[in-house]
Amino acid sequence: MIPHTVPHVLRIGPARLTAGLDHCRRLDLPAHRTLHGEPVPRDLDTLIAQVDEVDLRGRGGAAFPFARKLRAVAEASGSRERVVLVNAAEGEPASAKDAMLLIRTPHLVLDGALLAAEALRAKEVVVATAEGEVGEASIAAAVAERRAANIAGASESRISIRVVGVPERFITGEGGALVRGVNGLEAVPPGRKRRASESGVDGLPTLLSNAETFAQLAILAELGAAGYAEVGTEREPGTLLFSVAGSAVVEAPSGTPLADVLDLCEAEIGDGVLVGGYHGAWLSAATAVATELSREGLRLAGGSLGAGIVVPLGESTCPIGEAARVAAYLAAQSSGQCGPCRLGLPELARTLRALTEGSGSTDSVRRAVRAIERRGACFHPDGTARFVLSALDAFDTDIALHLEHGSCGRPIRGVLPLPEAEEEPEYRLDVDWTRCEGHGLCAHLLPEFVDLDAYGFPSFRAVPAWMAKEARRAVEMCPALALRLARTDGTPAPASPLRLVGSGVT
């Protein structure tokens, strides 16, 4: 399987995760084995000791110690079966590193996942990725290559490998949402925190980490702890993958100056640099120039490594306008399951947009942030709040121009990558006034879209597509059966299944 187009790869220092990609669009199994050899299985204690020695952390955003995940799965499972789940969903529009690994060097990811599965005596490796994309086809082809070559051997052959496509949405990569998607449910956060190490795929103890983490594990097994630590910093050895400006993937040793990576990509800092992704933080130009790319270096700068995303803003676009675009996108990407997402994120996006128009205030934005922080069913509200607050700090000069003149004089060029806008249907709630008795339940269920008059009767505002599920709930629960949901273009809304209690019919 040779893809027509592949993510562009650059590097500073030695090629590890990107070895061989100067000459090959994609490393098939023979090419991969020539470069990396065949990994030697380790028992669990040996693997944990090696991972601990280099302090390998998850590369999906939370930087959780990988050794602790291994121990948690081993201790939670007892004699039960276990599963290894590779998170390659990568819902962030500005990220390309996991897609690069799946498309160009998929066997490195599989080697790492199988090493962990062998050590844990897991029954299955599941690779979850965006459905219908090139990465899904490439990793599925890699699995087929291994089966066809019959190189697995007795130990590896007992570990099945399954590729699962999940919807490409921002929240799909959240751990709980991904597990739900793999289990055949809607890929949204479950609301209550449940550790995958205790109950994940099929309810089994599951080792969940992202694609780069497993690729790093394969490199660690290949080089050994001492070889792995030959580059990088003393506390954070090894190399890192960075998605730069949404167009290139750069491999660089931990501790590399951010300025060196931007120079390599011929990227202009301009008004600032976003690090860590859309749940990350903005660095001012002065801070970015002096920042090293490591967990510690970015923490000292006020940012985070996150998912390894670096987006320089340049000087030709409106900084606060770019931030407002992303805030609106993040509000629409929520699952709409809790108040901070349903009510708070749209309000936060509105206050930031008002600021770009010169009619708002930073105080109103900060009030909207306080209404959602530490109150969500998942980290999405907190991550969005972090992104917005850092924009207020990094772009204070630009904001002052907007408040004084209504604009900074620059257009919003769309520098921050976002998916192409899909025209989503808009819905409306219609009411049969001969039935409506003014119970007010619809306003309680949909307070952001339903107003009650002085007599308790409702009036309605248009309902966006991402809130259609909640609107259907209001229709189903109306005591007088007076509501129905329709599209604003006049076509009927798709019905949701109702369970008729006691009838056995759905």
Side-chain angles (χ1 to χ4, degrees), residues 329-402:
Y329 162 77
L330 293 173
Q333 285 290 299
S334 86
S335 59
Q337 296 185 110
C338 63
C341 275
R342 290 175 53 194
L343 304 173
L345 291 183
E347 177 62 19
L348 180 57
R350 283 192 290 269
T351 59
L352 200 59
R353 184 174 65 246
L355 200 59
T356 68
E357 297 166 352
S359 59
S361 70
T362 56
D363 286 344
S364 63
V365 176
R366 294 183 189 279
R367 281 196 297 272
V369 165
R370 286 195 294 272
I372 65 173
E373 281 186 304
R374 295 181 295 279
R375 298 180 56 221
C378 68
F379 185 70
H380 187 52
D382 287 350
T384 305
R386 175 190 173 99
F387 171 86
V388 169
L389 287 177
S390 70
L392 297 186
D393 294 336
F395 306 135
D396 56 342
T397 301
D398 183 74
I399 292 170
L401 290 174
H402 280 267

Side-chain angles (χ1 to χ4, degrees), residues 64-82:
F64 196 84
F66 191 66
R68 286 173 60 186
K69 286 189 176 184
L70 284 166
R71 289 191 187 96
V73 174
E75 291 168 1
S77 58
S79 60
R80 290 187 292 162
E81 295 177 327
R82 311 163 202 183

Side-chain angles (χ1 to χ4, degrees), residues 225-239:
Y228 187 88
E230 286 178 358
V231 299
T233 68
E234 183 177 354
R235 295 183 63 182
E236 299 177 38
T239 65

Side-chain angles (χ1 to χ4, degrees), residues 66-219:
F66 191 66
R68 286 173 60 186
K69 286 189 176 184
L70 284 166
R71 289 191 187 96
V73 174
E75 291 168 1
S77 58
S79 60
R80 290 187 292 162
E81 295 177 327
R82 311 163 202 183
V83 177
V84 171
L85 174 56
V86 180
N87 184 352
E90 199 170 42
E92 289 226 21
S95 186
K97 66 184 181 69
D98 288 348
M100 184 279 292
L101 289 169
L102 293 195
I103 294 170
R104 304 199 64 181
T105 182
H107 290 285
L108 200 60
V109 178
L110 292 178
D111 276 355
L114 287 166
L115 277 167
E118 179 67 28
L120 287 168
R121 301 189 179 278
K123 69 161 190 171
E124 183 180 41
V125 168
V126 180
V127 183
T129 186
E131 61 185 354
E133 297 296 324
V134 179
E136 181 184 21
S138 177
I139 196 71
V143 174
E145 287 170 17
R146 289 176 177 245
R147 290 173 181 157
N150 194 26
I151 57 93
S155 61
E156 192 173 300
S157 62
R158 71 171 182 79
I159 303 171
S160 63
I161 307 174
R162 177 163 55 108
V163 179
V164 178
V166 294
E168 190 174 12
R169 292 194 63 211
F170 188 87
I171 61 168
T172 302
E174 191 271 341
L178 191 76
V179 168
R180 284 175 55 86
V182 170
N183 285 338
L185 303 173
E186 186 180 5
V188 297
R192 290 195 305 172
K193 182 68 175 177
R194 177 179 292 179
R195 295 184 185 278
S197 60
E198 298 171 358
S199 178
V201 176
D202 298 332
L204 298 173
T206 299
L207 176 68
L208 168 60
S209 201
N210 89 310
E212 186 191 344
T213 312
F214 287 107
Q216 292 281 3
L217 181 63
I219 294 296

